[in-house]
Amino acid sequence: MDFPVFHLDFLGNRLLIALIAILHTVINHPLAVGGLPLIALMEWWGHRKDDPRWDRTAKKILFVFFIITTSFGALTGVGIWLSTSLVNPTAIGSLIRVFFWAWFTEWIVFVTEVCLILAYYLTWDRWSGILKGRHIRFGFLLAGASWATMAIIVAILSFMMDTGNWLTDRSLLSAVLNPVYLPQLSFRTPLAMVMAGAAALFILAFESRKNPLRDEAVKLVCRWMLAWSPFLAAGSYWYWRVIPKSMVANMSTALTTQAFTAWYDLVLFILLWSIAFLVAFAGLGAWKPKWVWRPAMIIPFFVLAALLADFERAREFIRKPYAIANYLYANGFRKDDYPLLQSEGILKYATFASIHSVTPENRVLAGREVFVLACTRCHTVGGVNSIVSKLKTMYGACPWNEDAISSYLASIHQARSFMPPFPGNEAERKALASYLVSLQTRGDFIQGAQTIGINPGLTQ
């Protein structure tokens, strides 16, 4: 209520965050969290066998991981901060207050990790001979720092799903040790390791088949993936068991809202089993890697990336109607503030709103302000997740009924449990219905940021 509303009406706020966050996760999970221990293992294996070819192969993989994580990975990490601060400053502000020292520690660890990965790559050739053992230990230390950054962030992500005892004692320890934290960490850690193997296979696919080390490297990577797979299965099961029941109830909606879900999940399932077959036979030596078709070494990474993206999307959706479970709704209004706001209205307390009360003269304009405040964090007018398209689907060619829409808004949480209850009073609810009905005959486009003053393009 104390911040102006930022909105992208063509793309939608939630899709903006999703694109940045999913790209960041797809990069950092396999290339940093899982990739660095795999590279350190390959370096150690080459040192143990006294085979410099392993050293060159590990460095080649590290070079690709290093470039991508320190550029796109770092930029998208900052992008998450920027986009979430713009879209829902109340949520990010609440999380900072709860996890201030955890986030402070995470940033220290992150900066340390960036410095360490730079030093790890630049000292690769110089720390040879008797110094090689020190460099290998350095690599495993770097892997630990990378995992620690994820471990801290997972505490925040899981807290948003289940605040545990924090609602009563408000301590950092209870926030971190929420019921979902360890299960989600137990899922993400082996997933990152398996994805790291898929990313390494991607790079090895471009090695010449005449290179004798290629077959050995593929076997090692496949065995790495096989070794982590049971932990991934166990972590997945544990994580599924602790997801709150209300969120499990949202799962079917989360899956069916994908336009291509009819074939997407089936194709993903088939491809995952194909990958498991490939990895098992190549890793166990029953299938010589040189027989493996090159695209079969490339596809696993994209399939696992799609799986991770699907997981992230579902995790974000099932948390609704909350941004922070049982504390803050997805629309940016605190649960404890609802009695006051539903009595006195949200416009009265909206600092940057151009209208602070509903009158017969400003009803449509007031409804527009209510839409901006209460709806735009998830919906657009005519873009992605458009409210106009939903109303057209609901009514078809029939005229939109203001009273029916107002009544539906009053019980929207009961009809669609993943949507927050309407936060305003009765006058604001009717004003919002008036604004929505006006969109049937007149378009609207909400600017990127809310400012004081009425949009001159919208008239009564």
Side-chain angles (χ1 to χ4, degrees):
M1 301 295 287
D2 297 327
F3 303 96
V5 174
F6 175 83
H7 180 66
L8 293 178
D9 205 61
F10 66 95
L11 183 65
N13 290 342
R14 69 177 188 174
L15 184 58
L16 170 68
I17 296 176
L19 291 175
I20 298 172
I22 288 174
L23 180 59
H24 177 76
T25 306
V26 167
I27 290 172
N28 275 38
H29 269 35
L31 306 189
V33 178
L36 291 171
L38 175 59
I39 290 167
L41 174 67
M42 294 177 72
E43 185 184 15
W44 169 81
W45 185 248
H47 181 64
R48 179 186 177 185
K49 298 186 69 174
D50 195 23
D51 188 344
R53 296 176 303 166
W54 281 101
D55 201 68
R56 291 192 296 268
T57 301
K59 185 183 178 184
K60 183 182 295 185
I61 296 174
L62 173 63
F63 175 75
V64 177
F65 289 6
F66 166 66
I67 294 298
I68 296 176
T69 54
T70 54
S71 54
F72 293 105
L75 286 173
T76 50
V78 175
I80 293 174
W81 272 98
L82 177 61
S83 59
T84 53
S85 298
L86 285 173
V87 170
N88 201 335
T90 305
I92 201 69
S94 299
L95 292 173
I96 288 174
R97 285 191 292 272
V98 176
F99 290 95
F100 176 82
W101 289 111
W103 242 320
F104 177 83
T105 304
E106 191 272 337
W107 272 99
I108 296 298
V109 175
F110 172 74
V111 173
T112 302
E113 177 192 353
V114 173
C115 295
L116 287 177
I117 193 172
L118 180 63
Y120 183 56
Y121 179 76
L122 294 178
T123 58
W124 190 284
D125 295 323
R126 285 185 291 175
W127 287 17
S128 57
I130 60 174
L131 294 177
K132 196 60 176 176
R134 181 184 299 177
H135 192 266
I136 293 170
R137 290 191 294 273
F138 189 17
F140 283 112
L141 174 65
L142 171 59
S146 181
W147 179 85
T149 60
M150 184 190 73
I152 295 172
I153 295 302
V154 169
I156 299 168
L157 295 177
S158 56
F159 172 80
M160 296 170 74
M161 296 179 68
D162 190 339
T163 51
N165 295 327
W166 178 83
L167 290 173
T168 55
D169 63 27
R170 301 297 173 104
S171 70
L172 173 61
L173 184 61
S174 62
V176 171
L177 298 179
N178 61 80
V180 183
Y181 174 54
L182 290 178
Q184 187 173 160
L185 186 62
S186 298
F187 166 75
R188 286 184 182 271
T189 299
L191 176 62
M193 302 302 171
V194 172
M195 288 189 68
L201 284 180
F202 185 107
I203 298 172
L204 290 171
F206 296 94
E207 283 285 331
S208 172
R209 293 184 179 181
K210 296 180 181 179
N211 181 0
L213 188 67
R214 176 181 179 271
D215 294 356
E216 294 183 48
V218 169
K219 286 182 180 180
L220 177 66
V221 170
C222 289
R223 288 169 182 170
W224 165 273
M225 296 172 71
L226 284 174
W228 282 103
S229 294
F231 297 99
L232 176 58
S236 302
Y237 179 74
W238 188 16
Y239 184 30
W240 173 254
R241 290 295 301 269
V242 301
I243 295 176
K245 292 182 179 179
S246 60
M247 296 185 184
V248 174
N250 286 340
M251 189 65 71
S252 59
T253 306
L255 296 177
T256 56
T257 50
Q258 297 182 30
F260 48 90
T261 191
W263 58 268
Y264 175 84
D265 290 335
L266 177 61
V267 171
L268 190 61
F269 179 78
I270 294 173
L271 287 174
L272 281 173
W273 274 106
S274 300
I275 292 169
F277 180 83
L278 165 69
V279 169
F281 275 74
L284 297 175
W287 191 0
K288 293 185 178 180
K290 64 182 179 181
W291 296 348
V292 177
W293 190 36
R294 179 170 288 173
M297 298 173 63
I298 297 174
I299 292 174
F301 176 76
F302 292 103
V303 173
L304 289 171
L307 175 67
L308 179 58
D310 206 35
F311 159 75
E312 294 291 353
R313 180 194 177 281
R315 180 185 59 78
E316 284 293 315
F317 186 91
I318 64 175
R319 194 177 66 229
K320 292 180 178 182
Y322 294 104
I324 302 174
N326 296 310
Y327 176 75
L328 184 76
Y329 283 113
N331 55 21
F333 295 97
R334 291 195 313 163
K335 183 179 180 180
D336 290 346
D337 291 336
Y338 258 63
L340 173 66
L341 297 176
Q342 289 179 332
S343 172
E344 300 186 17
I346 60 176
L347 292 175
K348 179 179 178 179
Y349 298 98
T351 304
F352 287 87
S354 60
I355 296 172
H356 294 284
S357 62
V358 180
T359 66
E361 293 75 24
N362 71 7
R363 190 167 176 173
V364 173
L365 294 174
R368 184 180 191 270
E369 289 287 357
V370 173
F371 180 81
V372 169
L373 291 168
C375 308
T376 54
R377 286 179 176 85
C378 295
H379 294 283
T380 66
V381 175
V384 177
N385 200 29
S386 162
I387 194 67
V388 171
S389 65
K390 293 185 182 300
L391 287 169
K392 284 182 178 179
T393 301
M394 184 182 299
Y395 281 96
C398 300
W400 300 355
N401 186 287
E402 185 175 321
D403 291 335
I405 292 176
S406 178
S407 298
Y408 182 67
L409 290 171
S411 59
I412 195 166
H413 180 61
Q414 285 72 37
R416 302 169 75 84
S417 60
F418 51 84
M419 293 189 67
F422 181 73
N425 59 23
E426 183 180 1
E428 291 171 340
R429 189 182 76 244
K430 292 181 178 179
L432 175 57
S434 297
Y435 170 69
L436 294 177
V437 168
S438 74
L439 295 176
Q440 186 176 24
T441 56
R442 176 192 55 204
D444 189 18
F445 182 82
I446 296 177
Q447 301 297 326
Q450 184 188 38
T451 56
I452 296 177
I454 298 173
N455 179 3
L458 183 69
T459 58
Q460 291 283 7

PDB file of all heavy atoms in Angstrom, residues 358 363-364 366-367 370 402-403 405-407 409-410 422 424-437:
ATOM      1  N   VAL A 358     -14.849   5.788  -3.449  1.00  0.00           N
ATOM      2  CA  VAL A 358     -15.720   5.522  -4.590  1.00  0.00           C
ATOM      3  C   VAL A 358     -16.935   6.437  -4.511  1.00  0.00           C
ATOM      4  O   VAL A 358     -17.589   6.540  -3.463  1.00  0.00           O
ATOM      5  CB  VAL A 358     -16.171   4.048  -4.604  1.00  0.00           C
ATOM      6  CG1 VAL A 358     -17.083   3.782  -5.794  1.00  0.00           C
ATOM      7  CG2 VAL A 358     -14.964   3.119  -4.626  1.00  0.00           C
ATOM      8  N   ARG A 363     -16.927   5.970 -10.475  1.00  0.00           N
ATOM      9  CA  ARG A 363     -17.029   4.536 -10.199  1.00  0.00           C
ATOM     10  C   ARG A 363     -16.110   3.701 -11.086  1.00  0.00           C
ATOM     11  O   ARG A 363     -15.395   2.812 -10.603  1.00  0.00           O
ATOM     12  CB  ARG A 363     -18.476   4.088 -10.375  1.00  0.00           C
ATOM     13  CG  ARG A 363     -18.736   2.670  -9.890  1.00  0.00           C
ATOM     14  CD  ARG A 363     -20.218   2.416  -9.805  1.00  0.00           C
ATOM     15  NE  ARG A 363     -20.509   1.049  -9.425  1.00  0.00           N
ATOM     16  CZ  ARG A 363     -21.732   0.609  -9.154  1.00  0.00           C
ATOM     17  NH1 ARG A 363     -22.760   1.443  -9.189  1.00  0.00           N
ATOM     18  NH2 ARG A 363     -21.919  -0.648  -8.828  1.00  0.00           N
ATOM     19  N   VAL A 364     -16.090   3.947 -12.391  1.00  0.00           N
ATOM     20  CA  VAL A 364     -15.255   3.163 -13.303  1.00  0.00           C
ATOM     21  C   VAL A 364     -13.773   3.443 -13.040  1.00  0.00           C
ATOM     22  O   VAL A 364     -12.951   2.518 -13.007  1.00  0.00           O
ATOM     23  CB  VAL A 364     -15.620   3.464 -14.773  1.00  0.00           C
ATOM     24  CG1 VAL A 364     -14.635   2.775 -15.720  1.00  0.00           C
ATOM     25  CG2 VAL A 364     -17.032   2.994 -15.067  1.00  0.00           C
ATOM     26  N   ALA A 366     -12.438   4.513 -10.248  1.00  0.00           N
ATOM     27  CA  ALA A 366     -12.091   3.902  -8.964  1.00  0.00           C
ATOM     28  C   ALA A 366     -11.911   2.399  -9.121  1.00  0.00           C
ATOM     29  O   ALA A 366     -10.998   1.799  -8.524  1.00  0.00           O
ATOM     30  CB  ALA A 366     -13.179   4.207  -7.936  1.00  0.00           C
ATOM     31  N   GLY A 367     -12.758   1.783  -9.929  1.00  0.00           N
ATOM     32  CA  GLY A 367     -12.622   0.352 -10.192  1.00  0.00           C
ATOM     33  C   GLY A 367     -11.305   0.028 -10.870  1.00  0.00           C
ATOM     34  O   GLY A 367     -10.691  -1.014 -10.591  1.00  0.00           O
ATOM     35  N   VAL A 370      -8.725   0.020  -8.229  1.00  0.00           N
ATOM     36  CA  VAL A 370      -8.832  -1.220  -7.450  1.00  0.00           C
ATOM     37  C   VAL A 370      -8.202  -2.374  -8.220  1.00  0.00           C
ATOM     38  O   VAL A 370      -7.491  -3.215  -7.643  1.00  0.00           O
ATOM     39  CB  VAL A 370     -10.307  -1.521  -7.117  1.00  0.00           C
ATOM     40  CG1 VAL A 370     -10.434  -2.898  -6.468  1.00  0.00           C
ATOM     41  CG2 VAL A 370     -10.872  -0.457  -6.187  1.00  0.00           C
ATOM     42  N   GLU A 402     -22.763  -6.868 -14.618  1.00  0.00           N
ATOM     43  CA  GLU A 402     -22.043  -6.221 -13.514  1.00  0.00           C
ATOM     44  C   GLU A 402     -22.377  -6.838 -12.162  1.00  0.00           C
ATOM     45  O   GLU A 402     -21.490  -7.088 -11.345  1.00  0.00           O
ATOM     46  CB  GLU A 402     -22.356  -4.728 -13.518  1.00  0.00           C
ATOM     47  CG  GLU A 402     -21.567  -3.944 -12.490  1.00  0.00           C
ATOM     48  CD  GLU A 402     -21.807  -2.445 -12.608  1.00  0.00           C
ATOM     49  OE1 GLU A 402     -21.913  -1.954 -13.755  1.00  0.00           O
ATOM     50  OE2 GLU A 402     -21.873  -1.780 -11.552  1.00  0.00           O
ATOM     51  N   ASP A 403     -23.643  -7.089 -11.913  1.00  0.00           N
ATOM     52  CA  ASP A 403     -24.048  -7.667 -10.624  1.00  0.00           C
ATOM     53  C   ASP A 403     -23.488  -9.077 -10.450  1.00  0.00           C
ATOM     54  O   ASP A 403     -23.056  -9.455  -9.349  1.00  0.00           O
ATOM     55  CB  ASP A 403     -25.574  -7.701 -10.506  1.00  0.00           C
ATOM     56  CG  ASP A 403     -26.172  -6.302 -10.389  1.00  0.00           C
ATOM     57  OD1 ASP A 403     -25.450  -5.394  -9.930  1.00  0.00           O
ATOM     58  OD2 ASP A 403     -27.336  -6.129 -10.770  1.00  0.00           O
ATOM     59  N   ILE A 405     -20.771 -10.311 -11.841  1.00  0.00           N
ATOM     60  CA  ILE A 405     -19.317 -10.223 -11.630  1.00  0.00           C
ATOM     61  C   ILE A 405     -19.027  -9.781 -10.208  1.00  0.00           C
ATOM     62  O   ILE A 405     -18.124 -10.313  -9.545  1.00  0.00           O
ATOM     63  CB  ILE A 405     -18.691  -9.260 -12.658  1.00  0.00           C
ATOM     64  CG1 ILE A 405     -18.776  -9.860 -14.057  1.00  0.00           C
ATOM     65  CG2 ILE A 405     -17.239  -8.964 -12.293  1.00  0.00           C
ATOM     66  CD1 ILE A 405     -18.263  -8.946 -15.154  1.00  0.00           C
ATOM     67  N   SER A 406     -19.783  -8.815  -9.697  1.00  0.00           N
ATOM     68  CA  SER A 406     -19.585  -8.351  -8.321  1.00  0.00           C
ATOM     69  C   SER A 406     -19.831  -9.478  -7.320  1.00  0.00           C
ATOM     70  O   SER A 406     -19.072  -9.650  -6.353  1.00  0.00           O
ATOM     71  CB  SER A 406     -20.521  -7.174  -8.035  1.00  0.00           C
ATOM     72  OG  SER A 406     -20.376  -6.740  -6.706  1.00  0.00           O
ATOM     73  N   SER A 407     -20.874 -10.259  -7.542  1.00  0.00           N
ATOM     74  CA  SER A 407     -21.160 -11.391  -6.649  1.00  0.00           C
ATOM     75  C   SER A 407     -20.061 -12.444  -6.723  1.00  0.00           C
ATOM     76  O   SER A 407     -19.680 -13.042  -5.696  1.00  0.00           O
ATOM     77  CB  SER A 407     -22.508 -12.019  -7.014  1.00  0.00           C
ATOM     78  OG  SER A 407     -23.554 -11.098  -6.844  1.00  0.00           O
ATOM     79  N   LEU A 409     -16.916 -11.875  -7.451  1.00  0.00           N
ATOM     80  CA  LEU A 409     -15.744 -11.336  -6.757  1.00  0.00           C
ATOM     81  C   LEU A 409     -15.861 -11.515  -5.248  1.00  0.00           C
ATOM     82  O   LEU A 409     -14.862 -11.738  -4.561  1.00  0.00           O
ATOM     83  CB  LEU A 409     -15.568  -9.851  -7.090  1.00  0.00           C
ATOM     84  CG  LEU A 409     -15.135  -9.519  -8.515  1.00  0.00           C
ATOM     85  CD1 LEU A 409     -15.206  -8.012  -8.757  1.00  0.00           C
ATOM     86  CD2 LEU A 409     -13.732 -10.035  -8.793  1.00  0.00           C
ATOM     87  N   ALA A 410     -17.086 -11.438  -4.733  1.00  0.00           N
ATOM     88  CA  ALA A 410     -17.291 -11.581  -3.288  1.00  0.00           C
ATOM     89  C   ALA A 410     -16.976 -12.992  -2.795  1.00  0.00           C
ATOM     90  O   ALA A 410     -16.576 -13.185  -1.646  1.00  0.00           O
ATOM     91  CB  ALA A 410     -18.732 -11.206  -2.933  1.00  0.00           C
ATOM     92  N   PHE A 422     -11.234 -11.149  -2.112  1.00  0.00           N
ATOM     93  CA  PHE A 422     -11.203  -9.746  -2.519  1.00  0.00           C
ATOM     94  C   PHE A 422     -10.850  -8.891  -1.303  1.00  0.00           C
ATOM     95  O   PHE A 422     -11.496  -9.003  -0.256  1.00  0.00           O
ATOM     96  CB  PHE A 422     -12.560  -9.325  -3.097  1.00  0.00           C
ATOM     97  CG  PHE A 422     -12.591  -7.900  -3.554  1.00  0.00           C
ATOM     98  CD1 PHE A 422     -11.922  -7.515  -4.706  1.00  0.00           C
ATOM     99  CD2 PHE A 422     -13.257  -6.935  -2.814  1.00  0.00           C
ATOM    100  CE1 PHE A 422     -11.926  -6.195  -5.125  1.00  0.00           C
ATOM    101  CE2 PHE A 422     -13.275  -5.611  -3.223  1.00  0.00           C
ATOM    102  CZ  PHE A 422     -12.602  -5.244  -4.387  1.00  0.00           C
ATOM    103  N   GLY A 424     -10.955  -5.478  -0.742  1.00  0.00           N
ATOM    104  CA  GLY A 424     -11.613  -4.207  -0.474  1.00  0.00           C
ATOM    105  C   GLY A 424     -13.006  -4.349   0.099  1.00  0.00           C
ATOM    106  O   GLY A 424     -13.485  -5.445   0.407  1.00  0.00           O
ATOM    107  N   ASN A 425     -13.689  -3.200   0.209  1.00  0.00           N
ATOM    108  CA  ASN A 425     -15.053  -3.207   0.732  1.00  0.00           C
ATOM    109  C   ASN A 425     -16.058  -3.395  -0.397  1.00  0.00           C
ATOM    110  O   ASN A 425     -15.686  -3.540  -1.563  1.00  0.00           O
ATOM    111  CB  ASN A 425     -15.336  -1.934   1.539  1.00  0.00           C
ATOM    112  CG  ASN A 425     -15.151  -0.668   0.709  1.00  0.00           C
ATOM    113  OD1 ASN A 425     -15.234  -0.705  -0.522  1.00  0.00           O
ATOM    114  ND2 ASN A 425     -14.897   0.437   1.387  1.00  0.00           N
ATOM    115  N   GLU A 426     -17.336  -3.357  -0.043  1.00  0.00           N
ATOM    116  CA  GLU A 426     -18.385  -3.634  -1.017  1.00  0.00           C
ATOM    117  C   GLU A 426     -18.411  -2.595  -2.136  1.00  0.00           C
ATOM    118  O   GLU A 426     -18.576  -2.941  -3.319  1.00  0.00           O
ATOM    119  CB  GLU A 426     -19.743  -3.688  -0.321  1.00  0.00           C
ATOM    120  CG  GLU A 426     -20.895  -4.036  -1.256  1.00  0.00           C
ATOM    121  CD  GLU A 426     -22.232  -4.073  -0.542  1.00  0.00           C
ATOM    122  OE1 GLU A 426     -22.265  -3.810   0.679  1.00  0.00           O
ATOM    123  OE2 GLU A 426     -23.249  -4.372  -1.207  1.00  0.00           O
ATOM    124  N   ALA A 427     -18.235  -1.320  -1.788  1.00  0.00           N
ATOM    125  CA  ALA A 427     -18.257  -0.266  -2.810  1.00  0.00           C
ATOM    126  C   ALA A 427     -17.131  -0.452  -3.812  1.00  0.00           C
ATOM    127  O   ALA A 427     -17.324  -0.261  -5.023  1.00  0.00           O
ATOM    128  CB  ALA A 427     -18.160   1.104  -2.138  1.00  0.00           C
ATOM    129  N   GLU A 428     -15.968  -0.852  -3.326  1.00  0.00           N
ATOM    130  CA  GLU A 428     -14.829  -1.070  -4.223  1.00  0.00           C
ATOM    131  C   GLU A 428     -15.037  -2.312  -5.077  1.00  0.00           C
ATOM    132  O   GLU A 428     -14.613  -2.347  -6.242  1.00  0.00           O
ATOM    133  CB  GLU A 428     -13.546  -1.169  -3.398  1.00  0.00           C
ATOM    134  CG  GLU A 428     -13.142   0.156  -2.761  1.00  0.00           C
ATOM    135  CD  GLU A 428     -12.009   0.030  -1.770  1.00  0.00           C
ATOM    136  OE1 GLU A 428     -11.777  -1.109  -1.283  1.00  0.00           O
ATOM    137  OE2 GLU A 428     -11.361   1.038  -1.473  1.00  0.00           O
ATOM    138  N   ARG A 429     -15.671  -3.311  -4.517  1.00  0.00           N
ATOM    139  CA  ARG A 429     -15.941  -4.520  -5.298  1.00  0.00           C
ATOM    140  C   ARG A 429     -16.894  -4.209  -6.448  1.00  0.00           C
ATOM    141  O   ARG A 429     -16.689  -4.661  -7.582  1.00  0.00           O
ATOM    142  CB  ARG A 429     -16.539  -5.593  -4.392  1.00  0.00           C
ATOM    143  CG  ARG A 429     -16.660  -6.957  -5.066  1.00  0.00           C
ATOM    144  CD  ARG A 429     -17.297  -7.980  -4.177  1.00  0.00           C
ATOM    145  NE  ARG A 429     -18.736  -7.798  -4.072  1.00  0.00           N
ATOM    146  CZ  ARG A 429     -19.386  -7.488  -2.956  1.00  0.00           C
ATOM    147  NH1 ARG A 429     -18.738  -7.330  -1.820  1.00  0.00           N
ATOM    148  NH2 ARG A 429     -20.712  -7.352  -2.954  1.00  0.00           N
ATOM    149  N   LYS A 430     -17.922  -3.410  -6.184  1.00  0.00           N
ATOM    150  CA  LYS A 430     -18.860  -3.033  -7.238  1.00  0.00           C
ATOM    151  C   LYS A 430     -18.193  -2.121  -8.267  1.00  0.00           C
ATOM    152  O   LYS A 430     -18.493  -2.201  -9.464  1.00  0.00           O
ATOM    153  CB  LYS A 430     -20.079  -2.356  -6.625  1.00  0.00           C
ATOM    154  CG  LYS A 430     -20.945  -3.305  -5.799  1.00  0.00           C
ATOM    155  CD  LYS A 430     -22.153  -2.593  -5.218  1.00  0.00           C
ATOM    156  CE  LYS A 430     -23.038  -3.572  -4.442  1.00  0.00           C
ATOM    157  NZ  LYS A 430     -24.218  -2.884  -3.839  1.00  0.00           N
ATOM    158  N   ALA A 431     -17.304  -1.260  -7.789  1.00  0.00           N
ATOM    159  CA  ALA A 431     -16.575  -0.384  -8.713  1.00  0.00           C
ATOM    160  C   ALA A 431     -15.675  -1.208  -9.630  1.00  0.00           C
ATOM    161  O   ALA A 431     -15.565  -0.936 -10.832  1.00  0.00           O
ATOM    162  CB  ALA A 431     -15.754   0.636  -7.935  1.00  0.00           C
ATOM    163  N   LEU A 432     -15.027  -2.232  -9.063  1.00  0.00           N
ATOM    164  CA  LEU A 432     -14.190  -3.108  -9.885  1.00  0.00           C
ATOM    165  C   LEU A 432     -15.043  -3.831 -10.922  1.00  0.00           C
ATOM    166  O   LEU A 432     -14.633  -3.949 -12.093  1.00  0.00           O
ATOM    167  CB  LEU A 432     -13.471  -4.125  -8.996  1.00  0.00           C
ATOM    168  CG  LEU A 432     -12.646  -5.202  -9.712  1.00  0.00           C
ATOM    169  CD1 LEU A 432     -11.589  -4.571 -10.607  1.00  0.00           C
ATOM    170  CD2 LEU A 432     -12.014  -6.158  -8.704  1.00  0.00           C
ATOM    171  N   ALA A 433     -16.216  -4.283 -10.532  1.00  0.00           N
ATOM    172  CA  ALA A 433     -17.111  -4.940 -11.485  1.00  0.00           C
ATOM    173  C   ALA A 433     -17.508  -3.975 -12.600  1.00  0.00           C
ATOM    174  O   ALA A 433     -17.574  -4.359 -13.773  1.00  0.00           O
ATOM    175  CB  ALA A 433     -18.346  -5.459 -10.758  1.00  0.00           C
ATOM    176  N   SER A 434     -17.753  -2.718 -12.261  1.00  0.00           N
ATOM    177  CA  SER A 434     -18.092  -1.714 -13.276  1.00  0.00           C
ATOM    178  C   SER A 434     -16.946  -1.522 -14.260  1.00  0.00           C
ATOM    179  O   SER A 434     -17.167  -1.417 -15.479  1.00  0.00           O
ATOM    180  CB  SER A 434     -18.432  -0.379 -12.607  1.00  0.00           C
ATOM    181  OG  SER A 434     -19.567  -0.493 -11.784  1.00  0.00           O
ATOM    182  N   TYR A 435     -15.748  -1.467 -13.739  1.00  0.00           N
ATOM    183  CA  TYR A 435     -14.576  -1.306 -14.613  1.00  0.00           C
ATOM    184  C   TYR A 435     -14.410  -2.513 -15.534  1.00  0.00           C
ATOM    185  O   TYR A 435     -14.165  -2.361 -16.739  1.00  0.00           O
ATOM    186  CB  TYR A 435     -13.321  -1.103 -13.769  1.00  0.00           C
ATOM    187  CG  TYR A 435     -12.042  -1.177 -14.580  1.00  0.00           C
ATOM    188  CD1 TYR A 435     -11.712  -0.192 -15.496  1.00  0.00           C
ATOM    189  CD2 TYR A 435     -11.170  -2.263 -14.420  1.00  0.00           C
ATOM    190  CE1 TYR A 435     -10.547  -0.266 -16.242  1.00  0.00           C
ATOM    191  CE2 TYR A 435     -10.003  -2.345 -15.160  1.00  0.00           C
ATOM    192  CZ  TYR A 435      -9.689  -1.342 -16.068  1.00  0.00           C
ATOM    193  OH  TYR A 435      -8.552  -1.421 -16.818  1.00  0.00           O
ATOM    194  N   LEU A 436     -14.568  -3.703 -14.988  1.00  0.00           N
ATOM    195  CA  LEU A 436     -14.409  -4.907 -15.806  1.00  0.00           C
ATOM    196  C   LEU A 436     -15.470  -4.970 -16.900  1.00  0.00           C
ATOM    197  O   LEU A 436     -15.165  -5.333 -18.046  1.00  0.00           O
ATOM    198  CB  LEU A 436     -14.489  -6.156 -14.918  1.00  0.00           C
ATOM    199  CG  LEU A 436     -13.358  -6.324 -13.897  1.00  0.00           C
ATOM    200  CD1 LEU A 436     -13.584  -7.564 -13.038  1.00  0.00           C
ATOM    201  CD2 LEU A 436     -11.990  -6.393 -14.570  1.00  0.00           C
ATOM    202  N   VAL A 437     -16.692  -4.618 -16.587  1.00  0.00           N
ATOM    203  CA  VAL A 437     -17.752  -4.616 -17.594  1.00  0.00           C
ATOM    204  C   VAL A 437     -17.444  -3.598 -18.690  1.00  0.00           C
ATOM    205  O   VAL A 437     -17.708  -3.831 -19.874  1.00  0.00           O
ATOM    206  CB  VAL A 437     -19.123  -4.324 -16.937  1.00  0.00           C
ATOM    207  CG1 VAL A 437     -20.177  -4.026 -17.998  1.00  0.00           C
ATOM    208  CG2 VAL A 437     -19.561  -5.511 -16.088  1.00  0.00           C
TER     209      VAL A 437
END
